[in-house]
Each structure stands twice: as C-alpha cells, then as structure tokens.
Amino acid sequence: MRAAIEMIGIPYSWGGGGVSGPGFGTGRGAKTWGFDCSGLAEYAWARAGVSIGSTTREQWRSGIRIPKERAEPGDLIFFDNNAHSPGPEHVGIVVDATRMVHAPYTGQSVRVDPLGRRTVLGVVRPSNTWMNGHALSSAAPDNDGAPSSTASDDGGASSSAAVNGHVAQVVLQ
C-alpha cells in the first residue's frame, strides 16, 4: 500500500506500469508515462515480493477472497464497471476501511478515493501461496489465512501478514 501511495500524482496511462514502476502504456496510453490500475497494483505488490499478474483478471485470482468488512491495508479491491462484460474491470489498493489508492482513468493521476461504490465485486488478499484461486501444493497451512492485527505501543494500529515467508508489518498512525 505504501509503494502505491508513493506514486500519487503519477498520470494514468492505459496499459502503463508494472513490476518496475511507471512506464509508457499501449494504445491510447502509448504516449503517456504512468500507470493503469492493474499496473499500479502489480508494482505495489512486486515491491512486497509477491507476483500478482499484470491484468485485473489475473489479479482477481492472485490470492484469497476476503469479505469487504475484513479488508486491510494492501488488499486489492475490485470493481465490475461493465454489465456487458462480467468480471473485474478496475482494481484499487485498500488504504483503510474507507479509502483506496488507485489509478482511476485517462486524464487523471494516481490518487486516494473512497472505497464506497456500488460496483464493488470483491476483495482479494494476494499471496505467493495462491494461484488462479487455488492453494499451491507447497503452501504451508496457517490459521485462517488472515493477517493478525494488534495495537502498537504508540496507540496506532499494527497489522502483520506473511509475505514470501517473512512477516511484513505496517503501522498506521
């Protein structure tokens, strides 16, 4: 999530960005250096050491589904904006219970916006132990797959999750 927040202000570019950061897009984004929604999500999770794929459809299958009310910072939130084409057309990265960071559309830049939209499809917590919605055979079993949350000494909330076998911790003030 923090890697995506660092990209606030970078222009939207259709097909732009990926694991290495912003880049020139394709088609109508070919002349714009920046990110599209899935490129931003791919970049942010690559910085955490997790490969989630480069399209919203690949990313939709990159981990475990989480109820929206259990979404934590870094989870991916998907939107189905096109009734004629079922499936996710947009992805954002959860900042907190009410906000996401995302690359919204052509002419805009990476920004933070409210989560509350009627087109929410679902939330996914990416993991290298999941692929296409299925647990990999080498995945070690854990409690319920959900990160743990605790209060920190300074009064902020602390959230930790296993990423590539290492515990990643985010403290929100």
Side-chain angles (χ1 to χ4, degrees), residues 35-72:
F35 285 107
D36 69 3
C37 64
S38 58
L40 179 65
E42 182 181 26
Y43 168 72
W45 275 93
R47 288 266 309 265
V50 178
S51 175
I52 63 170
S54 60
T55 68
T56 54
R57 291 181 187 267
E58 290 172 320
Q59 293 167 359
W60 176 241
R61 298 184 306 266
S62 69
I64 55 174
R65 304 278 163 82
I66 303 294
K68 185 179 173 201
E69 26 323 315
R70 287 190 58 204
E72 294 191 5

Short mmCIF file of all heavy atoms in Angstrom, two decimals, residues 35-72:
data_model
loop_
_atom_site.label_atom_id
_atom_site.label_comp_id
_atom_site.label_asym_id
_atom_site.label_seq_id
_atom_site.Cartn_x
_atom_site.Cartn_y
_atom_site.Cartn_z
N PHE A 35 0.79 4.80 -14.93
CA PHE A 35 0.20 3.52 -14.53
C PHE A 35 -1.24 3.44 -14.97
O PHE A 35 -1.95 4.45 -14.96
CB PHE A 35 0.15 3.41 -12.99
CG PHE A 35 1.43 3.15 -12.30
CD1 PHE A 35 2.06 4.17 -11.59
CD2 PHE A 35 2.02 1.90 -12.32
CE1 PHE A 35 3.24 3.94 -10.90
CE2 PHE A 35 3.21 1.66 -11.64
CZ PHE A 35 3.82 2.68 -10.93
N ASP A 36 -1.69 2.23 -15.28
CA ASP A 36 -3.13 1.98 -15.25
C ASP A 36 -3.40 1.29 -13.92
O ASP A 36 -2.48 1.09 -13.11
CB ASP A 36 -3.62 1.19 -16.47
CG ASP A 36 -3.16 -0.27 -16.52
OD1 ASP A 36 -2.48 -0.74 -15.58
OD2 ASP A 36 -3.49 -0.94 -17.50
N CYS A 37 -4.66 0.96 -13.63
CA CYS A 37 -5.00 0.44 -12.30
C CYS A 37 -4.26 -0.85 -11.98
O CYS A 37 -3.70 -1.01 -10.89
CB CYS A 37 -6.50 0.27 -12.16
SG CYS A 37 -7.25 -0.95 -13.27
N SER A 38 -4.22 -1.78 -12.92
CA SER A 38 -3.58 -3.07 -12.64
C SER A 38 -2.05 -2.95 -12.62
O SER A 38 -1.38 -3.67 -11.88
CB SER A 38 -4.02 -4.13 -13.65
OG SER A 38 -3.73 -3.74 -14.97
N GLY A 39 -1.50 -2.02 -13.40
CA GLY A 39 -0.05 -1.79 -13.36
C GLY A 39 0.39 -1.25 -12.01
O GLY A 39 1.44 -1.64 -11.49
N LEU A 40 -0.42 -0.37 -11.41
CA LEU A 40 -0.12 0.16 -10.08
C LEU A 40 -0.18 -0.95 -9.04
O LEU A 40 0.72 -1.07 -8.20
CB LEU A 40 -1.09 1.29 -9.72
CG LEU A 40 -0.90 1.90 -8.33
CD1 LEU A 40 0.45 2.62 -8.23
CD2 LEU A 40 -2.05 2.86 -8.01
N ALA A 41 -1.21 -1.79 -9.10
CA ALA A 41 -1.34 -2.90 -8.15
C ALA A 41 -0.18 -3.89 -8.32
O ALA A 41 0.40 -4.34 -7.33
CB ALA A 41 -2.68 -3.61 -8.35
N GLU A 42 0.17 -4.19 -9.57
CA GLU A 42 1.28 -5.12 -9.81
C GLU A 42 2.59 -4.56 -9.24
O GLU A 42 3.36 -5.27 -8.60
CB GLU A 42 1.43 -5.37 -11.31
CG GLU A 42 2.53 -6.36 -11.64
CD GLU A 42 2.70 -6.59 -13.12
OE1 GLU A 42 2.37 -5.71 -13.93
OE2 GLU A 42 3.20 -7.68 -13.48
N TYR A 43 2.84 -3.27 -9.46
CA TYR A 43 4.04 -2.62 -8.93
C TYR A 43 4.08 -2.68 -7.40
O TYR A 43 5.09 -3.07 -6.81
CB TYR A 43 4.10 -1.16 -9.41
CG TYR A 43 5.14 -0.35 -8.68
CD1 TYR A 43 6.50 -0.54 -8.92
CD2 TYR A 43 4.76 0.60 -7.73
CE1 TYR A 43 7.45 0.20 -8.24
CE2 TYR A 43 5.71 1.34 -7.06
CZ TYR A 43 7.05 1.14 -7.31
OH TYR A 43 7.99 1.87 -6.63
N ALA A 44 2.99 -2.30 -6.76
CA ALA A 44 2.96 -2.25 -5.30
C ALA A 44 3.22 -3.62 -4.69
O ALA A 44 4.00 -3.76 -3.75
CB ALA A 44 1.62 -1.69 -4.82
N TRP A 45 2.57 -4.65 -5.22
CA TRP A 45 2.77 -5.99 -4.67
C TRP A 45 4.13 -6.57 -5.04
O TRP A 45 4.72 -7.32 -4.27
CB TRP A 45 1.61 -6.91 -5.05
CG TRP A 45 0.51 -6.73 -4.05
CD1 TRP A 45 -0.56 -5.89 -4.13
CD2 TRP A 45 0.43 -7.36 -2.78
NE1 TRP A 45 -1.30 -5.96 -2.98
CE2 TRP A 45 -0.72 -6.87 -2.14
CE3 TRP A 45 1.21 -8.29 -2.12
CZ2 TRP A 45 -1.10 -7.27 -0.87
CZ3 TRP A 45 0.83 -8.71 -0.85
CH2 TRP A 45 -0.31 -8.21 -0.24
N ALA A 46 4.69 -6.19 -6.20
CA ALA A 46 6.05 -6.62 -6.54
C ALA A 46 7.05 -6.05 -5.54
O ALA A 46 8.00 -6.72 -5.15
CB ALA A 46 6.40 -6.19 -7.97
N ARG A 47 6.82 -4.83 -5.09
CA ARG A 47 7.69 -4.22 -4.07
C ARG A 47 7.63 -5.02 -2.77
O ARG A 47 8.58 -5.02 -2.00
CB ARG A 47 7.29 -2.77 -3.80
CG ARG A 47 7.63 -1.78 -4.88
CD ARG A 47 8.96 -1.07 -4.67
NE ARG A 47 9.13 -0.48 -3.38
CZ ARG A 47 8.88 0.79 -3.06
NH1 ARG A 47 8.44 1.62 -4.00
NH2 ARG A 47 9.08 1.23 -1.84
N ALA A 48 6.51 -5.72 -2.53
CA ALA A 48 6.38 -6.56 -1.34
C ALA A 48 6.87 -7.98 -1.61
O ALA A 48 6.80 -8.84 -0.73
CB ALA A 48 4.92 -6.59 -0.87
N GLY A 49 7.34 -8.25 -2.84
CA GLY A 49 7.88 -9.56 -3.18
C GLY A 49 6.85 -10.57 -3.62
O GLY A 49 7.12 -11.77 -3.65
N VAL A 50 5.65 -10.10 -4.02
CA VAL A 50 4.59 -11.01 -4.42
C VAL A 50 4.19 -10.72 -5.86
O VAL A 50 3.90 -9.58 -6.22
CB VAL A 50 3.35 -10.87 -3.50
CG1 VAL A 50 2.22 -11.79 -3.94
CG2 VAL A 50 3.74 -11.15 -2.05
N SER A 51 4.16 -11.76 -6.69
CA SER A 51 3.74 -11.64 -8.09
C SER A 51 2.24 -11.86 -8.18
O SER A 51 1.73 -12.89 -7.75
CB SER A 51 4.48 -12.69 -8.92
OG SER A 51 4.02 -12.66 -10.25
N ILE A 52 1.52 -10.87 -8.74
CA ILE A 52 0.06 -10.98 -8.82
C ILE A 52 -0.46 -10.95 -10.25
O ILE A 52 -1.67 -11.01 -10.46
CB ILE A 52 -0.64 -9.88 -8.00
CG1 ILE A 52 -0.32 -8.49 -8.53
CG2 ILE A 52 -0.30 -10.03 -6.52
CD1 ILE A 52 -1.15 -7.38 -7.92
N GLY A 53 0.41 -10.85 -11.24
CA GLY A 53 -0.03 -10.76 -12.63
C GLY A 53 -0.23 -9.32 -13.04
O GLY A 53 -0.23 -8.41 -12.21
N SER A 54 -0.43 -9.12 -14.34
CA SER A 54 -0.47 -7.75 -14.86
C SER A 54 -1.85 -7.25 -15.25
O SER A 54 -1.99 -6.08 -15.59
CB SER A 54 0.47 -7.64 -16.07
OG SER A 54 0.07 -8.55 -17.07
N THR A 55 -2.86 -8.10 -15.19
CA THR A 55 -4.22 -7.65 -15.54
C THR A 55 -5.15 -7.80 -14.34
O THR A 55 -4.87 -8.59 -13.43
CB THR A 55 -4.80 -8.47 -16.71
OG1 THR A 55 -5.04 -9.82 -16.26
CG2 THR A 55 -3.87 -8.47 -17.92
N THR A 56 -6.26 -7.08 -14.36
CA THR A 56 -7.20 -7.20 -13.24
C THR A 56 -7.73 -8.63 -13.13
O THR A 56 -7.94 -9.11 -12.02
CB THR A 56 -8.39 -6.22 -13.38
OG1 THR A 56 -9.02 -6.41 -14.65
CG2 THR A 56 -7.94 -4.78 -13.22
N ARG A 57 -7.91 -9.30 -14.23
CA ARG A 57 -8.43 -10.68 -14.18
C ARG A 57 -7.42 -11.63 -13.53
O ARG A 57 -7.79 -12.50 -12.75
CB ARG A 57 -8.86 -11.16 -15.55
CG ARG A 57 -10.11 -10.42 -16.01
CD ARG A 57 -10.60 -10.87 -17.36
NE ARG A 57 -11.68 -10.01 -17.80
CZ ARG A 57 -12.97 -10.26 -17.59
NH1 ARG A 57 -13.33 -11.34 -16.94
NH2 ARG A 57 -13.89 -9.43 -18.03
N GLU A 58 -6.13 -11.48 -13.84
CA GLU A 58 -5.10 -12.29 -13.19
C GLU A 58 -5.04 -11.95 -11.70
O GLU A 58 -4.93 -12.83 -10.85
CB GLU A 58 -3.73 -12.04 -13.81
CG GLU A 58 -3.56 -12.57 -15.21
CD GLU A 58 -2.26 -12.12 -15.84
OE1 GLU A 58 -1.85 -10.95 -15.67
OE2 GLU A 58 -1.65 -12.95 -16.53
N GLN A 59 -5.11 -10.67 -11.39
CA GLN A 59 -5.02 -10.23 -10.01
C GLN A 59 -6.22 -10.68 -9.19
O GLN A 59 -6.08 -10.99 -8.00
CB GLN A 59 -4.86 -8.70 -9.97
CG GLN A 59 -3.53 -8.28 -10.55
CD GLN A 59 -3.42 -6.80 -10.83
OE1 GLN A 59 -4.34 -6.02 -10.60
NE2 GLN A 59 -2.26 -6.39 -11.33
N TRP A 60 -7.38 -10.77 -9.80
CA TRP A 60 -8.60 -11.25 -9.14
C TRP A 60 -8.40 -12.69 -8.65
O TRP A 60 -8.99 -13.11 -7.67
CB TRP A 60 -9.76 -11.13 -10.12
CG TRP A 60 -11.08 -11.66 -9.68
CD1 TRP A 60 -11.78 -12.66 -10.28
CD2 TRP A 60 -11.90 -11.20 -8.60
NE1 TRP A 60 -12.98 -12.86 -9.63
CE2 TRP A 60 -13.08 -11.98 -8.59
CE3 TRP A 60 -11.74 -10.22 -7.62
CZ2 TRP A 60 -14.08 -11.80 -7.66
CZ3 TRP A 60 -12.75 -10.04 -6.69
CH2 TRP A 60 -13.91 -10.82 -6.72
N ARG A 61 -7.52 -13.44 -9.33
CA ARG A 61 -7.25 -14.84 -8.97
C ARG A 61 -5.93 -15.02 -8.23
O ARG A 61 -5.42 -16.13 -8.13
CB ARG A 61 -7.24 -15.69 -10.24
CG ARG A 61 -8.57 -15.70 -10.99
CD ARG A 61 -8.55 -16.64 -12.20
NE ARG A 61 -7.47 -16.38 -13.14
CZ ARG A 61 -7.56 -15.61 -14.21
NH1 ARG A 61 -8.67 -15.00 -14.49
NH2 ARG A 61 -6.53 -15.46 -15.02
N SER A 62 -5.35 -13.94 -7.68
CA SER A 62 -4.00 -13.99 -7.13
C SER A 62 -3.92 -14.26 -5.63
O SER A 62 -2.85 -14.18 -5.05
CB SER A 62 -3.27 -12.68 -7.43
OG SER A 62 -3.84 -11.62 -6.68
N GLY A 63 -5.02 -14.57 -5.00
CA GLY A 63 -4.97 -14.80 -3.56
C GLY A 63 -6.30 -15.29 -3.03
O GLY A 63 -7.05 -15.93 -3.76
N ILE A 64 -6.57 -14.98 -1.79
CA ILE A 64 -7.81 -15.44 -1.16
C ILE A 64 -8.81 -14.30 -1.10
O ILE A 64 -8.45 -13.14 -0.94
CB ILE A 64 -7.55 -16.03 0.24
CG1 ILE A 64 -6.83 -15.02 1.13
CG2 ILE A 64 -6.77 -17.32 0.16
CD1 ILE A 64 -6.69 -15.47 2.57
N ARG A 65 -10.07 -14.66 -1.27
CA ARG A 65 -11.15 -13.67 -1.19
C ARG A 65 -11.41 -13.33 0.28
O ARG A 65 -11.42 -14.20 1.15
CB ARG A 65 -12.43 -14.21 -1.82
CG ARG A 65 -12.27 -14.65 -3.26
CD ARG A 65 -12.33 -13.50 -4.24
NE ARG A 65 -11.80 -13.85 -5.54
CZ ARG A 65 -12.45 -14.49 -6.49
NH1 ARG A 65 -13.69 -14.86 -6.30
NH2 ARG A 65 -11.86 -14.77 -7.63
N ILE A 66 -11.59 -12.05 0.53
CA ILE A 66 -11.79 -11.53 1.88
C ILE A 66 -13.10 -10.76 1.88
O ILE A 66 -13.35 -9.97 0.97
CB ILE A 66 -10.64 -10.56 2.26
CG1 ILE A 66 -9.28 -11.24 2.16
CG2 ILE A 66 -10.85 -9.94 3.63
CD1 ILE A 66 -9.06 -12.36 3.14
N PRO A 67 -13.95 -10.93 2.90
CA PRO A 67 -15.15 -10.08 2.98
C PRO A 67 -14.72 -8.61 3.04
O PRO A 67 -13.72 -8.27 3.69
CB PRO A 67 -15.82 -10.50 4.28
CG PRO A 67 -15.25 -11.86 4.59
CD PRO A 67 -13.87 -11.89 4.00
N LYS A 68 -15.46 -7.74 2.37
CA LYS A 68 -15.10 -6.32 2.31
C LYS A 68 -14.89 -5.74 3.71
O LYS A 68 -13.99 -4.94 3.93
CB LYS A 68 -16.17 -5.53 1.56
CG LYS A 68 -15.79 -4.08 1.37
CD LYS A 68 -16.86 -3.32 0.61
CE LYS A 68 -16.51 -1.85 0.59
NZ LYS A 68 -17.64 -1.01 0.35
N GLU A 69 -15.70 -6.18 4.67
CA GLU A 69 -15.58 -5.63 6.02
C GLU A 69 -14.30 -6.08 6.73
O GLU A 69 -13.93 -5.51 7.75
CB GLU A 69 -16.77 -5.88 6.89
CG GLU A 69 -17.78 -6.99 6.79
CD GLU A 69 -18.26 -7.53 5.47
OE1 GLU A 69 -18.57 -6.80 4.53
OE2 GLU A 69 -18.34 -8.75 5.41
N ARG A 70 -13.60 -7.08 6.21
CA ARG A 70 -12.33 -7.54 6.79
C ARG A 70 -11.12 -7.06 5.99
O ARG A 70 -9.99 -7.46 6.27
CB ARG A 70 -12.31 -9.07 6.86
CG ARG A 70 -13.23 -9.60 7.96
CD ARG A 70 -13.06 -11.08 8.21
NE ARG A 70 -11.69 -11.43 8.57
CZ ARG A 70 -11.16 -12.63 8.38
NH1 ARG A 70 -11.88 -13.60 7.86
NH2 ARG A 70 -9.91 -12.88 8.73
N ALA A 71 -11.35 -6.20 5.01
CA ALA A 71 -10.25 -5.69 4.18
C ALA A 71 -9.25 -4.94 5.04
O ALA A 71 -9.62 -4.21 5.97
CB ALA A 71 -10.80 -4.78 3.08
N GLU A 72 -7.98 -5.14 4.75
CA GLU A 72 -6.89 -4.49 5.47
C GLU A 72 -6.00 -3.75 4.48
O GLU A 72 -6.04 -4.02 3.28
CB GLU A 72 -6.07 -5.54 6.23
CG GLU A 72 -6.87 -6.20 7.33
CD GLU A 72 -6.01 -7.04 8.26
OE1 GLU A 72 -4.78 -7.04 8.11
OE2 GLU A 72 -6.60 -7.68 9.14
#
